[in-house]
Amino acid sequence: MNQDMKYGYLDETYETICPLGEQDIFLAKNRDNGRIFVKKYVAASVIPVYEKLIAIRNEHLENIYDFAAGEERGILITGYISGISVQQYLEYYGVFAEERVKDYMADILEVLGQVHALGIVHRDITAGNIMISDDGIVKLIDFGIAREVKKEQGKDTVVLGTVGYAAPEQYGFSQTSDKSDIYSIGIVLKEMCQKSNVSADEKLKDIINKCTQLDPDNRFQNVKQLKSALLQCRRLEEENKKFKQAQMR
């Protein structure tokens, strides 16, 4: 089945139920088995990214079931996540325990490391693109503007990203890389702490500051380094709690 035929097949098989709040994203039902999915219409140019992502098996990544490139755009079928985004959680509840902030971001960094290993940059990591499922699993979603790193290219050909989260290089100064996603992770961390009224300790403040350096060379060089720093910060927090509890006895 060629790509155009497959596009038509997926579009027909997954019947649209209703919009999911964002343009070109819909709740859909598989006509054959009645199961619920998410149907997204994406730029055809991003389909090669999903061809790589579908090989990742990680509970912290949205489930990608199928995709196809049409003449003008692509179609993507993903699993429906029953839950809430970090952005929605902050708006509705406004509270994240500091240890939960670190745990969630360490999980996101785990799967982001696999994404980067495939030569893919997400480019749109925001509080809205990190979901927390009803069973408490944090998931990275929406690779609609992701791109494959091209070593011979000096800068991105198209300027994309969410204002406030996008790294400076995403505005045409140089090519985006895994360090661009690290910048966005730092912004999300900062937002989770500020809106949750979490009094971030000095170690966590240092991590956020290093993530969000304007010069990519001054940031963590990969997500493995960042995750290690976060987990070390988490261990110190646990040790401090145990010490304080021991003093109270």
Side-chain angles (χ1 to χ4, degrees):
M1 185 184 298
N2 65 36
Q3 286 290 298
D4 283 341
M5 290 178 62
K6 187 177 180 182
Y7 181 101
Y9 168 78
L10 292 178
D11 205 17
E12 179 70 20
T13 300
Y14 293 89
E15 178 185 6
T16 297
I17 298 174
C18 63
L20 281 178
E22 296 185 44
Q23 187 177 7
D24 296 331
I25 302 179
F26 303 90
L27 192 67
K29 181 176 72 174
N30 186 304
R31 293 178 184 271
D32 297 332
N33 57 32
R35 291 176 60 193
I36 300 299
F37 294 85
V38 174
K39 179 166 68 172
K40 303 179 183 181
Y41 296 101
V42 299
S45 59
V46 83
I47 291 298
V49 167
Y50 286 104
E51 288 177 341
K52 289 186 174 183
L53 290 176
I54 202 168
I56 296 178
R57 292 291 177 265
N58 191 306
E59 66 177 350
H60 302 300
L61 182 71
E62 65 178 338
N63 289 325
I64 300 165
Y65 288 97
D66 215 338
F67 51 81
E71 289 185 3
E72 297 183 358
R73 61 180 180 173
I75 189 170
L76 176 71
I77 306 300
T78 69
Y80 173 70
I81 302 171
S82 179
I84 190 171
S85 72
V86 167
Q87 179 180 334
Q88 291 169 326
Y89 191 99
L90 289 169
E91 290 173 353
Y92 297 158
Y93 305 109
V95 177
F96 273 111
E98 186 173 344
E99 62 270 17
R100 184 62 66 191
V101 171
K102 295 168 186 173
D103 289 345
Y104 278 156
M105 294 313 297
D107 288 340
I108 290 298
L109 291 170
E110 175 193 320
V111 71
L112 190 58
Q114 292 181 265
V115 171
H116 288 170
L118 296 174
I120 295 169
V121 184
H122 187 287
R123 292 207 300 172
D124 200 23
I125 296 175
T126 68
N129 284 335
I130 297 175
M131 294 288 296
I132 304 169
S133 67
D134 289 341
D135 54 356
I137 306 299
V138 66
K139 298 175 183 287
L140 181 62
I141 67 169
D142 197 352
F143 286 76
I145 65 168
R147 68 184 293 272
E148 296 176 90
V149 176
K150 300 174 182 177
K151 294 181 179 179
E152 72 283 358
Q153 193 168 299
K155 60 183 180 180
D156 294 3
T157 54
V158 179
V159 177
L160 292 170
T162 300
V163 175
Y165 293 94
E169 58 269 25
Q170 286 183 237
Y171 295 97
F173 297 107
S174 60
Q175 183 180 193
T176 49
S177 68
D178 51 357
K179 287 177 267 190
S180 306
D181 284 344
I182 286 172
Y183 180 96
S184 300
I185 288 284
I187 297 297
V188 175
L189 270 171
K190 183 178 181 180
E191 188 173 17
M192 289 175 77
C193 290
Q194 288 179 338
K195 291 192 175 181
S196 298
N197 294 319
V198 169
S199 180
D201 56 40
E202 290 305 314
K203 181 67 175 175
L204 184 53
K205 288 179 182 177
D206 288 343
I207 289 172
I208 293 170
N209 183 57
K210 187 167 184 178
C211 285
T212 54
Q213 290 293 302
L214 295 181
D215 186 343
D217 290 337
N218 292 333
R219 299 173 201 156
F220 291 97
Q221 297 305 289
N222 52 62
V223 293
K224 185 177 180 180
Q225 288 183 6
L226 174 52
K227 183 180 178 183
S228 177
L230 267 180
L231 292 178
Q232 183 183 19
C233 187
R234 182 79 169 89
R235 285 192 294 269
L236 288 172
E237 179 186 7
E238 291 174 351
E239 290 171 3
N240 287 337
K241 278 186 177 180
K242 289 178 181 178
F243 178 75
K244 289 179 181 178
Q245 288 171 354
Q247 286 186 318
M248 293 174 65
R249 291 174 186 169

